[in-house]
Amino acid sequence: MPKHVVTGLLIILFLGIVPVSCMDQCNGPCGCNPVFETEDFSITTFSIETLFRADRNFAFDPNRFYFHQTLYKAFWVSGLKPVSEIKKSQKGSFFLNTAFACSPPESYSIETLRTIRIINKKEIAVNANEILQEGAVINEKFVLTQNFQQEYNLTDFIKNRHRFLKNERLYLKFTSVPAGNIEITFDLEIELDNGVVYRFDNETMKVNGG
């Protein structure tokens, strides 16, 4: 074969005009698509913040009282350890025990949520018919949402044995209607199925009935 013909074919292959690069993958579960490795994680830290959400979002002002339907406590996994780091000391190949997908998969915590406890720190009258007692667990006064559309009471959400997504935020909203401006002070405890409890003390929410 003339040298210039061979050179031309090599150039064509190099430029990717002939799709030979995926030949090794085309017999796999993803055809010629790339195969991605699922990398779950173990939770090491949670973070929390107060968030104001409305049609027009403004920076949260800690000195202002907000309509109770627009104020949230957000919490999320802020520290994690990839499962591959945990398995380094174990025998056998990590890759044999790893799921694969044809597109980048979601990364989940290996721990599940066991419970959430919201513990009131100061007695306060919400309205004429409702008083929050010091030391009481006030979970029933809150709902939880993942997307600001669907809301769950905490008991139902906990029953689902939630696994945390990487970069996922969960939002707690106070549901009782205050008669005026009130400031709720509470401890938030997040317990995982491995028995580890993450605690945030003296969290506050300044709310009113609108």
Side-chain angles (χ1 to χ4, degrees), residues 108-136:
Y108 288 90
S109 66
I110 59 175
E111 300 88 357
T112 60
L113 176 66
R114 175 176 290 174
T115 191
I116 293 172
R117 285 180 292 271
I118 303 172
I119 305 166
N120 187 49
K121 296 298 292 290
K122 297 178 181 178
E123 181 177 315
I124 188 168
V126 178
N127 50 53
N129 302 313
E130 197 170 358
I131 296 177
L132 302 182
Q133 300 293 336
E134 181 180 349

Side-chain angles (χ1 to χ4, degrees), residues 43-79:
I43 297 170
T44 60
T45 313
F46 279 94
S47 289
I48 190 170
E49 70 172 351
T50 307
L51 173 70
F52 165 61
R53 179 178 171 85
D55 292 337
R56 293 183 178 181
N57 289 325
F58 300 94
F60 171 70
D61 181 356
N63 298 311
R64 175 184 168 187
F65 289 86
Y66 290 90
F67 178 45
H68 70 287
Q69 295 282 0
T70 64
L71 198 65
Y72 296 84
K73 277 291 179 183
F75 63 95
W76 65 97
V77 175
S78 56

Side-chain angles (χ1 to χ4, degrees), residues 1 5 17 33 52 80 104 118 131 144 169 175-176 191 196 210:
M1 180 180 293
V5 176
I17 298 175
N33 296 318
F52 165 61
L80 54 89
I118 303 172
I131 296 177
L144 184 146
R169 293 195 174 203
T175 58
S176 295
E191 183 178 358
V196 178

